[in-house]
């Protein structure tokens, strides 16, 4: 295998060219809401990234930031988004393929665990973490 040479470059302080060019980028088209933290951003291939978002406040911890927050994943990236698939926390399996349990309480009420519906905008409840495969345009 061929080895790659590493080239270190340094610019002098007070250079005049830097303001004329974009010297850094985030890849994001907008800023996340203040209660939402980008937990993970990992490239899975050239067009797909794993995104894990976390709501950092507990219920009742802050008067406004402890409320559910909606984020539109389709407008988050500069490249645009072709598709979004929610996965389990580890990111290895789509939520849609996970078997949901059903149970009955002692009083006879029936419960089914369920995942929230996925559309262009997703809502994170306080202290929740949600993971997605985002296919970029």
């Amino acid at each position: 295998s061929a080895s790659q040479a590493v080239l270190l470059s340094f610019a002098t302080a007070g250079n005049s060219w830097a303001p004329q060019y974009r010297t850094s980028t985030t890849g994001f088209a907008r800023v996340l809401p203040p209660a939402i933290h980008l937990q993970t951003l990992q490239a899975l291939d050239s067009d797909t990234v794993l995104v894990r978002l976390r709501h950092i406040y507990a219920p009742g911890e802050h008067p406004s930031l402890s409320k559910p927050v909606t984020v539109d994943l389709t407008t988050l990236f500069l490249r645009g988004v072709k598709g979004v698939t929610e996965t389990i926390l580890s990111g290895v399996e789509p939520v849609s393929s996970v078997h949901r349990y059903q149970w009955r309480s002692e009083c006879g009420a029936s419960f089914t665990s369920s995942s929230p519906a996925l559309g262009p905008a997703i809502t994170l409840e306080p202290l929740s973490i949600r993971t997605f495969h985002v296919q970029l345009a």
Side-chain angles (χ1 to χ4, degrees), residues 6-19:
V6 175
L7 173 65
L8 296 177
S9 299
F10 299 94
T12 59
N15 56 53
S16 60
W17 57 267

Side-chain angles (χ1 to χ4, degrees), residues 17-111:
W17 57 267
Q20 300 171 29
Y21 301 96
R22 173 182 257 174
T23 57
S24 66
T25 185
T26 64
F28 290 109
R30 60 185 178 80
V31 176
L32 286 168
I36 303 302
H37 173 74
L38 177 65
Q39 186 75 28
T40 306
L41 179 63
Q42 176 185 352
L44 299 176
D45 58 44
S46 62
D47 294 324
T48 308
V49 292
L50 181 131
V51 176
R52 188 172 291 118
L53 298 175
R54 175 171 63 115
H55 193 302
I56 60 175
Y57 288 90
E61 183 179 352
H62 188 275
S64 61
L65 297 175
S66 292
K67 296 181 178 167
V69 177
T70 299
V71 176
D72 187 346
L73 294 175
T74 62
T75 63
L76 189 59
F77 294 91
L78 288 173
R79 280 181 58 183
V81 172
K82 287 197 281 188
V84 176
T85 304
E86 184 166 10
T87 67
I88 61 174
L89 188 60
S90 65
V92 299
E93 187 175 3
V95 166
S96 60
S97 68
V98 175
H99 174 6
R100 298 292 170 184
Y101 295 101
Q102 296 181 355
W103 66 93
R104 289 194 176 277
S105 69
E106 288 181 359
C107 67
S110 178
F111 297 93

